[in-house]
Amino acid sequence: MQNRDHWVDYAKGIGILLVVYGHVSRGAYNAGIVMDAKLFKLIDSIIYSFHMPLFFLLSGIFFIPSLNKYGRQRLILDKVDSVFYPYVLWSLLQGFTEVFLSRFTTAKTSVDDVLSLLWQPRAQFWFLYVLFVVFVLMALTYREQRGAAALFVPLMLIAAWISRFYVQLPFPVDFLATYLIYFYLGSQVRVWKDFIIEHASIVCAISGLLFGCLAWLFHGKLGLIYSDQSLLALPLALSGITMVCSLGFVLAKAELNMLKCLTLFGTCSMPIFLMHILAGSGVRIILNKFLYIDNASIHLILGTVIGILVPITVFQLSKKTSLAGLRYLFAPPPFLSLKRRMN
């Protein structure tokens, strides 16, 4: 995976940009900022139809190499440090900030809501909660399969994905049934990686065309949204994921300076994910409540830009010796690091 810093980070950069824009637009819409409701709902549904499946697939790419390198126990401990720790810390930081600012925001948050984080994740942090469970589950159960047996796991995961249409599953089982298939496909990326590298432009064009056609059928012709139960949702998500991943290969090969900022977004995707809601909400509150600006375009552009730049700035500052304490916003201090104790 020597191209990790190129195509994967391009794909993550595109994905996290969609995450930030999606949350900023939802915040503005829910706050009553006047915008075209039909267009907002269409764009929102298109983004949500594939952007979180994309992150589960990208998260699965390094699962097998990490499992082979560290073993099951050390891999789980590493995810306690890198996924569960920031989940808990930022659930508390964002949660109590939302409690304090409830009179300025569209969501009303209570202390009980914040403290239920171990069984009911809040806001965007459901992703980290479910991702940690996925890593633990995969680390404990994954076995290399060959031949016909290799088809058994993906078929079972597809069956689990479909089962949600007919059975009301409890949390987090419902989320596992929804997203585990994408993580598993990411873990098998070596099967199709070389082909996409060789034919990246063609794959990007075909998958983009397929995604466009499926999106038109799903959102337009059938009038569905991303949360509706439809068998089309799986190929829609997979075509969107393929489009973004193959575009990552194209951009990595082209090395266009004007788009290299996407790789920075990708390498900083975790800090951006953790901090963008607070940054974006802060922009909306200042614009709306103090400056009395209700122009939707200004809210969307400034909210997205600040939602990306503030986390990147804080993350870069955390690398400075004089501000080393900031690193504990993203990784545990030595006395809390389980992986460090294992070493």
Side-chain angles (χ1 to χ4, degrees), residues 7 11 14 192 196-197 199-208 239-252:
W7 79 270
I14 295 169
W192 47 265
I196 293 185
I197 290 177
H199 307 284
S201 297
I202 296 175
V203 173
C204 185
I206 293 175
S207 59
S239 61
I241 290 170
T242 305
M243 174 184 67
V244 172
C245 289
S246 56
L247 178 59
F249 283 113
V250 172
L251 294 176

Side-chain angles (χ1 to χ4, degrees), residues 5 18 25 53 78 110 118 157 163 165 212 243 247 261 274 278:
D5 290 332
L18 293 176
S25 65
D78 175 70
S110 69
L118 293 182
L157 293 177
S163 71
F165 299 172
M243 174 184 67
L247 178 59
C261 62
L274 294 171
L278 289 179

Side-chain angles (χ1 to χ4, degrees), residues 154-184:
L155 289 176
M156 288 297 294
L157 293 177
I158 292 174
W161 185 88
I162 296 174
S163 71
R164 303 170 302 118
F165 299 172
Y166 306 101
V167 181
Q168 184 68 39
L169 300 172
F171 178 84
V173 178
D174 54 346
F175 279 73
L176 292 175
T178 303
Y179 294 105
L180 195 53
I181 178 62
Y182 303 110
F183 185 93
Y184 178 81

Side-chain angles (χ1 to χ4, degrees), residues 112-260:
D112 288 343
D113 293 332
V114 177
L115 297 181
S116 65
L117 61 92
L118 293 182
W119 58 89
Q120 187 60 55
R122 280 191 44 74
Q124 80 274 22
F125 298 120
W126 70 264
F127 169 71
L128 296 181
Y129 187 103
V130 175
L131 182 63
F132 177 71
V133 176
V134 166
F135 266 111
V136 172
L137 182 63
M138 288 288 288
L140 294 176
T141 64
Y142 181 80
R143 299 291 186 277
E144 189 74 35
Q145 302 289 340
R146 300 183 182 278
L151 295 175
F152 176 75
V153 173
L155 289 176
M156 288 297 294
L157 293 177
I158 292 174
W161 185 88
I162 296 174
S163 71
R164 303 170 302 118
F165 299 172
Y166 306 101
V167 181
Q168 184 68 39
L169 300 172
F171 178 84
V173 178
D174 54 346
F175 279 73
L176 292 175
T178 303
Y179 294 105
L180 195 53
I181 178 62
Y182 303 110
F183 185 93
Y184 178 81
L185 290 175
S187 72
Q188 305 301 307
V189 70
R190 64 190 185 280
V191 175
W192 47 265
K193 175 174 173 284
D194 290 340
F195 177 85
I196 293 185
I197 290 177
E198 185 176 354
H199 307 284
S201 297
I202 296 175
V203 173
C204 185
I206 293 175
S207 59
L209 179 61
L210 179 60
F211 178 72
C213 292
L214 288 174
W216 171 80
L217 177 61
F218 187 89
H219 302 286
K221 197 69 173 177
L222 298 178
L224 300 174
I225 62 173
Y226 74 97
S227 58
D228 287 331
Q229 296 179 344
S230 170
L231 292 176
L232 280 177
L234 184 59
L236 177 62
L238 291 176
S239 61
I241 290 170
T242 305
M243 174 184 67
V244 172
C245 289
S246 56
L247 178 59
F249 283 113
V250 172
L251 294 176
K253 184 177 181 179
E255 295 186 343
L256 300 175
N257 288 330
M258 63 181 296
L259 293 178
K260 283 189 176 181

Side-chain angles (χ1 to χ4, degrees), residues 9 21 37 55 133 147-148 160 194 244 257 262 280 289 295 299 306 332:
D9 285 328
Y21 174 84
F55 273 101
V133 176
D194 290 340
V244 172
N257 288 330
L262 289 174
K289 301 296 184 179
N295 181 279
H299 275 267
I306 298 301

